[in-house]
Amino acid sequence: MSKKQYYIKTFGCQMNVYDSQRIVGILETLGYTPASGPKTADLIIFNTCHIREKAAEKVFSDLGRIFALKQERLAAGLDTVIGVVGCVVQAEDEQIAKRAPFVDFATGPLTYHRLPEILAKIGRKRGQTVIDTEFPAESKFDFLPQNRSSGGCAYLAIQEGCNNFCTYCVVPYTRGIECSRPVEDVLAEARRLVETGALEINLLGQNVNSYHGEDHAGKERNLAHLLRRLAEIEGLKRIRYTTSYPADVDDELIACHRDLPQLMPYLHLPVQSGSDKILKAMNRRHTSGDYLRTVEKLYAANPDLRMSSDFIVGFPGEEDADFRATLDIVNRVKFIQAFSFKYSRRAGTPAALMPGQVEEKIKKERLDILQNLLFSYQLKFNKDSVGKLMPVLFDMKGRHAGQLIGRTPYMQNLHAEIGKEYMNKIVNIRVTEATTNSLSGKTEG
Ligand code: SAH
Ligand code: SF4
Ligand code: F3S
């Protein structure tokens, strides 16, 4: 009998990308192989995101298409198991059972290590959705197989969950309270990744700089300690961490940006708004002044460092003056990349019930203005890169033969006609052209 094939589709943040890689690890130990697409898959998994309404609704519309596919396969005598995992499940388990009863199993982001038992259960009784949305006592990381091999760039989750409860955000409800992995576990996983080819590791957490994992002696250690330990791993050339919370950037972490050449000179530090009134209503524990002071300290520690950020426009109560304060902080920090969103009202979060909800039309106008400004700084930074020699880690094939895509230290995408022998290598590239979203370049000589 041929091996069973899986297809997994990932929505949402980098943590979900990491989780999907770990799920693939589980499936491979169970003997599954990757399918070329959903049509040939015996098992289809959606790893879902609940952060904004659009993200969550997309899951349900895509599931409708998968149901049609399941019917087609059934008509041809083929069985298809459909699973939904991730943040939508944690928040809307009942909705899934109601709106997509053809789903065979649904597990939250903290219980997917139980997949082998869940799949076995489905084998025994079909036609009922198996749901697991417990916040488990055990850590999934202790139960996942260690068979993940890596390309040049790898993600490594070191912390999960969030205790910040920003008033707009679902994450504390979907990923639970903050939990850090022990230092030695992180180091062991990092070493394995480097042994299998990783040159760059991106440490992940919903609030990664509140990391407080225990060391071998049971002592709690912070992110700065972890970064210094990781920097000792031979062969690990680049380290990044994301996403950080501004109020938790401390002096020890800033010193790492001064001392560790492996730490890339690029930091994603979401500010969300430039207005102190709005930041307070968001329950962010920083003012715009605090944020600017942190950025100044970071620039002093490493003058080459550049910032990226996340923004929300149209938060309840946001007036023109508040929005102008957001534009003002962009003009001060000159972020080189950013994600910006219209506020999305999420059931169960405090902001959903706040007075002063902003009209959709105004949200859209503000988002357009903000994005134009952000893109202008992004384009300027990219244009200023032309003529520079930059170390680029190539990890993706480009559209045509011989073309590879890689990343500069500043997370810019760079395309080069360079030949596949440079895949998963760091190469010095002279930047020749720049647009808002990418660079092109050539090797010297
Ligand atoms: N833990 C990270 C990322 C959270 S989600 C952090 O604290 O930054 C990524 C981004 O989505 C957030 O930074 C925020 O800008 C945006 N976001 C979260 N909830 C949102 C909502 N209800 N509406 C619009 N954007 C939201
Ligand atoms: Fe959400 Fe705020 Fe936590 Fe980020 S810090 S995950 S925005 S609650
Ligand atoms: Fe989305 Fe969950 Fe990540 S809601 S952004 S997948 S933590």
Side-chain angles (χ1 to χ4, degrees):
M1 208 178 90
S2 67
K3 285 194 171 173
K4 288 205 166 176
Q5 299 192 357
Y6 69 85
Y7 176 79
I8 180 160
K9 179 164 176 168
T10 308
F11 303 79
C13 63
Q14 290 153 324
M15 188 72 107
N16 260 13
V17 175
Y18 172 85
D19 284 340
S20 288
Q21 290 171 356
R22 304 297 309 251
I23 290 169
V24 165
I26 299 175
L27 297 178
E28 289 181 352
T29 58
L30 295 175
Y32 283 84
T33 58
S36 55
K39 282 192 179 147
T40 53
D42 307 288
L43 169 64
I44 298 176
I45 297 181
F46 278 12
N47 192 2
T48 61
C49 173
H50 199 246
I51 200 81
R52 282 167 292 276
E53 192 180 349
K54 248 197 203 154
E57 280 309 309
K58 176 104 177 61
V59 170
F60 286 105
S61 64
D62 283 12
L63 272 175
R65 269 196 289 277
I66 290 297
F67 179 52
L69 189 69
K70 181 170 172 146
Q71 301 288 69
E72 266 171 47
R73 281 176 51 93
L74 198 61
L78 297 166
D79 186 24
T80 317
V81 171
I82 299 178
V84 184
V85 301
C87 292
V88 170
V89 179
Q90 200 66 43
E92 300 199 46
D93 48 351
E94 284 170 16
Q95 282 295 317
I96 289 180
K98 242 190 249 158
R99 290 176 65 181
F102 52 87
V103 165
D104 296 288
F105 69 91
T107 78
L110 306 178
T111 45
Y112 63 77
H113 58 289
R114 296 179 182 162
L115 217 53
E117 299 152 47
I118 291 169
L119 288 171
K121 221 189 239 177
I122 292 166
R124 291 195 299 273
K125 58 173 188 196
R126 296 303 304 268
Q128 225 178 321
T129 312
V130 178
I131 296 183
D132 188 350
T133 48
E134 200 190 321
F135 283 121
E138 78 275 11
S139 161
K140 68 185 179 195
F141 298 109
D142 294 338
F143 295 88
L144 295 169
Q146 302 296 351
N147 55 348
R148 192 164 65 109
S149 66
S150 147
C153 278
Y155 288 131
L156 202 177
I158 64 167
Q159 178 276 342
E160 186 163 24
C162 184
N163 299 350
N164 286 326
F165 291 93
C166 300
T167 52
Y168 50 82
C169 183
V170 296
V171 170
Y173 312 99
T174 64
R175 295 267 171 177
I177 54 159
E178 257 178 51
C179 175
S180 295
R181 295 176 68 189
V183 172
E184 292 307 323
D185 289 8
V186 172
L187 292 174
E189 189 169 338
R191 283 189 208 103
R192 265 193 310 273
L193 289 168
V194 172
E195 277 160 22
T196 56
L199 299 172
E200 172 175 317
I201 291 182
N202 195 339
L203 305 175
L204 300 180
Q206 269 82 37
N207 186 4
V208 74
N209 60 329
S210 76
Y211 176 84
H212 54 266
E214 285 188 1
D215 69 7
H216 59 282
K219 185 171 173 203
E220 278 199 358
R221 298 293 195 164
N222 61 13
L223 180 61
H225 172 87
L226 188 66
L227 289 171
R228 288 180 189 273
R229 297 286 306 278
L230 284 161
E232 290 165 5
I233 297 178
E234 207 165 316
L236 179 55
K237 305 278 192 238
R238 292 178 164 195
I239 305 172
R240 305 180 189 273
Y241 59 92
T242 197
T243 299
S244 297
Y245 187 71
D248 293 333
V249 177
D250 59 17
D251 290 344
E252 282 183 56
L253 185 57
I254 293 172
C256 289
H257 285 277
R258 180 191 65 208
D259 299 339
L260 304 177
Q262 295 93 331
L263 201 52
M264 289 291 98
Y266 171 88
L267 185 61
H268 183 64
L269 191 62
V271 65
Q272 312 299 357
S273 168
S275 154
D276 290 345
K277 178 187 100 188
I278 296 298
L279 288 169
K280 190 153 187 272
M282 287 176 163
N283 192 32
R284 301 284 290 183
R285 284 179 286 114
H286 59 89
T287 61
S288 57
D290 297 334
Y291 186 89
L292 289 167
R293 274 186 293 279
T294 299
V295 171
E296 246 164 57
K297 281 195 202 169
L298 284 158
Y299 286 165
N302 179 359
D304 293 333
L305 188 96
R306 294 293 176 270
M307 305 297 298
S308 89
S309 199
D310 289 347
F311 296 88
I312 296 176
V313 296
F315 185 82
E318 187 187 72
E319 294 171 298
D320 281 338
D322 300 306
F323 177 59
R324 280 198 301 276
T326 297
L327 299 178
D328 187 48
I329 204 162
V330 173
N331 285 322
R332 281 166 185 250
V333 182
K334 303 182 173 53
F335 299 96
I336 65 164
Q337 272 157 47
F339 297 101
S340 43
F341 312 97
K342 288 184 283 188
Y343 166 69
S344 170
R345 211 168 169 175
R346 308 306 284 132
T349 62
L353 302 175
M354 284 182 186
Q357 298 287 329
V358 175
E359 253 178 81
E360 186 57 28
K361 184 171 153 277
I362 295 178
K363 283 186 198 169
K364 187 171 181 325
E365 277 170 18
R366 289 184 183 160
L367 187 66
D368 286 345
I369 295 169
L370 175 63
Q371 290 189 333
N372 280 334
L373 185 65
L374 289 166
F375 286 150
S376 73
Y377 284 113
Q378 186 169 327
L379 180 64
K380 179 167 187 327
F381 183 74
N382 286 353
K383 290 270 183 212
D384 287 347
S385 305
V386 174
K388 291 196 174 136
L389 198 60
M390 285 190 162
V392 176
L393 171 49
F394 288 100
D395 70 336
M396 275 193 293
K397 282 195 203 135
R399 242 182 265 157
H400 23 102
Q403 191 186 52
L404 294 182
I405 306 172
R407 233 128 347 257
T408 72
Y410 295 101
M411 288 292 254
Q412 297 150 294
N413 282 326
L414 184 141
H415 300 246
E417 311 293 327
I418 186 174
K420 60 177 184 302
E421 64 276 23
Y422 290 102
M423 187 69 155
N424 293 324
K425 296 214 165 71
I426 296 174
V427 189
N428 279 327
I429 297 287
R430 184 73 64 186
V431 181
T432 53
E433 275 174 67
T435 64
T436 310
N437 292 318
S438 71
L439 306 178
S440 316
K442 312 190 173 76
T443 45
E444 294 276 90

